[in-house]
Amino acid sequence: MTTTTELLKGAAELFPDEVVTQAHVRHLDLPAGAGRFALITLDNGLDHTKPTTFGPQSLANLDAAIDQVAQEAAEGTIVAAGITGKPFIFAVGADLKGVELLKRHEDALAIGKGGHDVFKRLAGLGVPTFAYYNGAAMGGGVEVGLHCTYRTVSQAIPAFSLPEVFLGLVPGWGGCTILPNLIGPEKAVSVVIENSLNQNRQLKGKQVFELGIADAIFEGADFLEQSLVWTAAVLKGEIAVERPEIDRGESWDQAVAKGRFVADSKVHGAAPAAYRALDIIEAAKDGDLQKGFDAEDRALADLIMGGELRSGIYAFNLVQKRGKRPAGAPDKSLARPVTKVGVVGAGLMASQLALLFLRRLEVPVVLTDIDQERVDKGVGYVHAEIEKLLAKGRVNQDKANRLKALVTGVLDKAEGFADADFVIEAVFEEMSVKQKVFAEVEAVAPAHAIFATNTSSLSVSEMASKLKHPERVVGFHFFNPVAVLPLLEIVRGEQTDDASLATAFGVAKKLKKTAVLTKDAPAFVVNRILTRFMGEIQNVIDEGTPVATAEKAIEPLGLPMSPLVLLELVGPAIGLHVSETLNRSFPDRFTVSPNLKAVVEAGKRGFYVYDSGKPELDPEVAALLKQGDSVLTEEQVRARVLDAVAQEIGLMLEEGVVAEAQDIDLCLITGAGWPFHLGGITPYLDREGVSERVNGKRFLAPGVASVPA
């Protein structure tokens, strides 16, 4: 039988570039004479910006540290052992860079088994073990602590989670098995399934304690000292840790059923990870941990060798790496400082932009509009939002006062923008209106000021064409809601110079947005793809396919919402406007739906009513629809829609709208909420064979978002 040491040695050979975590053992005398204690500290030797991970060599190092501690426990020279992390970081789980390299099922199985074999030794040491969650803990970092007898958590922890399902894995080193047996299935399902599928929602220290994952919580400043005092009291019998009795009856089944409902509503059966995790949680009801660990090993290996995880890792790398170093951005040394921002318009979008610039840049922001009432309403909106932040404790009174004092509104652009460095317009989506606004701004703003447009589909070059200095106009397209969606499409017009572009990227970074450089092409990236996608759905409805069939056809993609619910969110009038813009540019591919036009002219907010709590086709909309007699099946609808999207992406890449397919995926993930488990869209189109069917080639090389050949 292969030993853990051999397993890990074999795995380490597959991953020579691992950032290795050391497991340092030191000894100390516990307070109040409670005895000698062995403390293992996980540390990769780098600062907190490079979190500690578990690759095969790191697991081997922890195994060796446990060898030492186990011997001391057997000899009776220590009364207990503990594990903690370097400053600000406990550990953030398996090293995904190593997972990406795996090509064989047996190697994937070795990673799962190796982690289990090491971690479960902490439960069988013969002396009590303590995990001290001193900083960020995710995945395997959380799980190594679950194998200990007791756990404490720092109140200062910003992030604690089991994010595996979000990426396309299961918590495979004890998370699916131990957690429900520790805190009950309902809370475990919330942590493993709900939080993961809600954009990888993180827990704070207080929530970790309240859920019962940790037995005690202490302030961050003297966390380890307090944890050791508490440890001594537990060992001396002065503190008895009580945990709730777990209900292993019907409530366990109900918790799993609720988890399946959540998974269905989020991924519609399109991604296996959540369902595999729920199967393991369901089986953990009998409390047989080893059986659960074996099931985790199998699930991990199967998922590591599946396309979903590779797409999930690809998406994670896009957001964490490519999103922070935008392709094609000019040298940041060319960027100019921005000490005052002007916003043309004071409607909802303009007010949201003003609030964002104010909060992130903390510089004066001035709004203008055509009458005082609108200006006052815009400034009032910003003030009200700051008051909400104050009420939630997100800012203190001093900061709230300072922010409110920085935002003003004026009617006269000359007064407002004479010393502005960056002016953004968010006025009506009409070329002549935007050209007029920029001409007025150019007449009064300083010569170095950058002019940004929040247009969603109009030509930035045409907008700038009548100015004396078109080189300082840049597209700066945000997505609604501005505070939530990270994407910012930065559009280079034909005349835009490097300094203006560099300033735009510099501002985007300060706004904490994911910036992607796009060419000045109709509707840029997200709106062009979504309009083609929605247009094809609209086409099949117009031709005769029932609305319900067209909507259901897209469910296997696991999108955050159905196409017509998305249309409602965007607004049918805006959807129609963008389709008309694209129809003028590409009439052979982008249609203008007569039914959508009728819905807009009738003043309807969307296709659905929600009288029963769930969406149902509005009878008034149904009466407006004029359909043909060509009825497609769900499979036919899906094939047609995906073919259209693959064709459009292929054309966009040929036109150089963005640098690579990776930028398309980054845009869809951060601007339209497309699922991580798809990797955006291109890995899915490759995996389903659509890319080759339509374009004769894949978008991504094998191994980029798939298992290496």
Side-chain angles (χ1 to χ4, degrees), residues 648-673:
E648 203 58 41
I649 293 171
L651 291 166
M652 289 166 71
L653 292 171
E654 276 176 30
E655 291 167 28
V657 174
V658 288
E660 289 182 290
Q662 281 87 333
D663 294 312
I664 300 272
D665 293 319
L666 183 57
C667 285
L668 285 173
I669 291 164
T670 56

Side-chain angles (χ1 to χ4, degrees), residues 176-419:
C176 291
T177 304
I178 300 173
L179 197 63
N181 281 290
L182 176 70
I183 63 173
E186 193 174 339
K187 290 176 181 173
V189 164
S190 170
V191 173
V192 173
I193 306 296
E194 282 189 81
N195 287 357
S196 279
L197 293 179
N198 278 311
Q199 293 299 312
N200 192 19
R201 189 162 58 205
Q202 300 292 318
L203 299 170
K204 303 272 194 285
K206 187 165 177 272
Q207 294 164 297
V208 175
F209 173 63
E210 286 168 353
L211 282 165
I213 299 171
D215 304 304
I217 183 168
F218 301 110
E219 289 288 341
D222 56 353
F223 169 70
L224 188 57
E225 291 85 342
Q226 291 298 322
S227 292
L228 292 169
V229 169
W230 182 83
T231 298
V234 169
L235 292 171
K236 291 174 76 177
E238 293 162 5
I239 290 176
V241 172
E242 290 175 12
R243 298 197 179 118
E245 190 69 37
I246 303 298
D247 182 347
R248 297 181 186 280
E250 203 178 309
S251 68
W252 196 291
D253 304 328
Q254 286 168 348
V256 172
K258 184 189 173 200
R260 292 193 196 284
F261 175 78
V262 170
D264 285 343
S265 69
K266 291 287 185 182
V267 299
H268 309 286
Y275 302 97
R276 291 296 293 265
L278 286 162
D279 289 345
I280 301 167
I281 292 171
E282 185 173 35
K285 182 177 175 179
D286 64 7
D288 183 340
L289 295 186
Q290 188 53 53
K291 190 177 85 180
F293 296 163
D294 292 343
E296 287 175 349
D297 287 344
R298 286 192 298 276
L300 263 189
D302 291 349
L303 291 166
I304 284 172
M305 299 315 291
E308 184 206 359
L309 170 69
R310 305 304 172 126
S311 296
I313 295 174
Y314 164 79
F316 184 79
N317 288 336
L318 286 183
V319 173
Q320 295 299 321
K321 293 175 185 167
R322 194 177 185 93
K324 291 181 170 56
R325 287 189 289 280
D331 191 313
K332 55 177 183 266
S333 66
L334 298 170
R336 301 188 187 119
V338 173
T339 59
K340 183 178 180 181
V341 173
V343 181
V344 186
L348 182 59
M349 189 65 179
S351 303
Q352 287 183 62
L353 294 178
L355 178 69
L356 180 70
F357 278 91
L358 184 67
R359 286 195 65 201
R360 297 282 184 241
L361 271 60
E362 295 190 23
V363 299
V365 174
V366 60
L367 293 106
T368 67
D369 213 315
I370 52 174
D371 60 54
Q372 193 62 45
E373 189 184 338
R374 291 180 202 217
V375 169
D376 292 345
K377 192 176 175 188
V379 174
Y381 168 88
V382 177
H383 281 197
E385 290 299 309
I386 292 166
E387 284 296 330
K388 284 183 198 168
L389 293 170
L390 178 64
K392 288 178 187 164
R394 304 268 294 279
V395 296
N396 60 26
Q397 187 67 60
D398 180 48
K399 178 100 175 256
N401 292 345
R402 201 164 70 248
L403 288 175
K404 285 202 284 194
L406 283 170
V407 64
T408 54
V410 295
L411 285 175
D412 182 4
K413 291 187 182 68
E415 181 190 341
F417 300 155
D419 54 350

Side-chain angles (χ1 to χ4, degrees), residues 76 138 177 248 315 338 482 542 568 690:
M138 294 172 206
T177 304
R248 297 181 186 280
V338 173
V482 170
D542 293 354
E568 205 167 292
V690 181

